[in-house]
Amino acid sequence: MIIILLNQKNEEESNSPSISFDDSLDKSNLENSEKRAFDVLKVFADNQNKLDLHKFENDMKDEFHAKKFREYFKTWSSDVEYEANIGIERLFISKGYDLAIIVGIIGIVLSGLLLFLILTDFIPFNFVASLSNLFYASILLLIVSIITVILPNHIFGRWTIEGRENEEKWNNFKKYLNDFSLIKEHPPSSIAIWNKYLVYATALGVAKSVQKAMEKLIPGEVLDSSDSYIFYSYGGTYLLFSSFDSGISTANSADSSSGGGGFGGGSGGGGGGAF
């Protein structure tokens, strides 16, 4: 669907990571978020359906392009969130977490109200002997309530049996990708599988380990045929992710300077071969 390549420029310029889009390929089997990712990036491609990532990075420093990207990014993020939550009840039971959030919010409101009444003298500080204890108890309640709200959902929720199995499988897969001795003992059988592993490693934060393993275990002439490896090695994914961050930051800064509201969020950095 999206072909990753290095755009060979003239002799004075270095290789520039690029993404080439093929509109003729079938997109019917893609999720909405995947189609949206294709469309979002293609908007900034040239008339040859090629996105030069150095140019894209510069475009994201421009207010007009940044705001345009941010709107597409918001829609894409909503698609991803919606698809991620489909069938989530099969994997994770969030009832305890939902209850904890409600209790935490009630605690924040109650402690905030008490502190407001005390500090504004609606309730005199020395009106009763135990009021000082109420003051400190309110502060403690506020702190505990805030911590309750910001804790990860797995603290109060729990995995289902299927969810726990999936978590263990992904943790074991991450361990495999990050351990050269394991991947050397059981290497992927083809460069196509290596490419997929590099994509998964990006999401799991261990792309550098897979890149090094590919360099040690795959012959150079075969490695040169791996779009994902080349894209990662030449900093394509770093450029892509940093451009996302730059675009969101530029758009938000423009809103702040004009007194408007912004859309928070970024994509993170590093990684490789995510497309």
Side-chain angles (χ1 to χ4, degrees):
M1 184 59 57
I2 299 177
I3 302 173
I4 300 171
L5 52 90
L6 287 176
N7 194 21
Q8 190 72 33
K9 295 189 175 181
N10 59 46
E11 295 180 358
E12 287 77 23
E13 295 180 299
S14 60
N15 289 328
S16 175
S18 303
I19 299 176
S20 182
F21 302 87
D22 188 348
D23 289 323
S24 67
L25 297 178
D26 182 18
K27 294 188 285 185
S28 60
N29 293 326
L30 295 179
E31 299 285 353
N32 285 336
S33 62
E34 294 171 321
K35 295 177 184 177
R36 187 85 63 183
F38 181 93
D39 293 338
V40 168
L41 294 177
K42 189 173 181 295
V43 166
F44 297 93
D46 60 22
N47 55 12
Q48 295 181 333
N49 278 347
K50 186 179 296 182
L51 176 65
D52 184 301
L53 293 185
H54 282 117
K55 182 178 182 302
F56 181 55
E57 183 182 37
N58 289 330
D59 285 344
M60 291 301 97
K61 298 174 184 178
D62 174 75
E63 179 181 332
F64 173 78
H65 289 103
K67 287 187 174 182
K68 183 178 180 181
F69 169 76
R70 184 181 63 180
E71 291 307 309
Y72 283 105
F73 187 86
K74 288 168 65 176
T75 306
W76 173 78
S77 298
S78 297
D79 287 342
V80 171
E81 184 177 359
Y82 173 77
E83 291 166 9
N85 287 326
I86 294 177
I88 191 65
E89 64 276 358
R90 292 189 299 104
L91 306 175
F92 188 79
I93 299 174
S94 62
K95 185 176 181 181
Y97 174 72
D98 296 338
L99 181 60
I101 291 295
I102 294 173
V103 172
I105 293 175
I106 292 174
I108 291 174
V109 173
L110 179 60
S111 59
L113 178 60
L114 288 172
L115 289 172
F116 173 78
L117 292 175
I118 293 172
L119 295 176
T120 55
D121 292 330
F122 279 98
I123 301 178
F125 194 86
N126 295 318
F127 184 71
V128 294
S130 61
L131 192 59
S132 59
N133 292 333
L134 179 62
F135 174 77
Y136 294 117
S138 298
I139 293 178
L140 179 61
L141 175 61
L142 179 62
I143 294 173
V144 171
S145 298
I146 292 174
I147 292 175
T148 300
V149 169
I150 65 176
L151 280 174
N153 59 3
H154 66 267
I155 299 297
F156 297 106
R158 63 184 178 86
W159 294 107
T160 63
I161 294 176
E162 182 182 356
R164 180 64 66 185
E165 289 176 350
N166 276 292
E167 183 195 34
E168 291 176 354
K169 287 178 181 178
W170 281 108
N171 286 338
N172 288 335
F173 184 54
K174 179 179 180 180
K175 180 180 178 181
Y176 163 74
L177 294 176
N178 203 35
D179 190 326
F180 178 73
S181 62
L182 290 176
I183 208 168
K184 181 180 180 180
E185 185 177 353
H186 305 286
S189 58
S190 69
I191 190 64
I193 297 177
W194 273 108
N195 287 341
K196 290 183 179 180
Y197 280 10
L198 185 55
V199 173
Y200 286 127
T202 301
L204 296 171
V206 292
K208 180 64 68 175
S209 297
V210 173
Q211 179 203 14
K212 291 180 179 179
M214 292 177 76
E215 292 169 348
K216 292 179 180 179
L217 299 177
I218 301 176
E221 63 274 13
V222 177
L223 198 59
D224 290 339
S225 68
S226 169
D227 289 332
S228 295
Y229 169 79
I230 295 174
F231 189 73
Y232 178 83
S233 298
Y234 280 82
T237 305
Y238 173 79
L239 277 173
L240 189 63
F241 288 171
S242 65
S243 297
F244 288 176
D245 286 336
S246 178
I248 299 298
S249 177
T250 299
N252 287 346
S253 296
D255 285 344
S256 297
S257 62
S258 62
F263 170 72
S267 57
F275 287 86

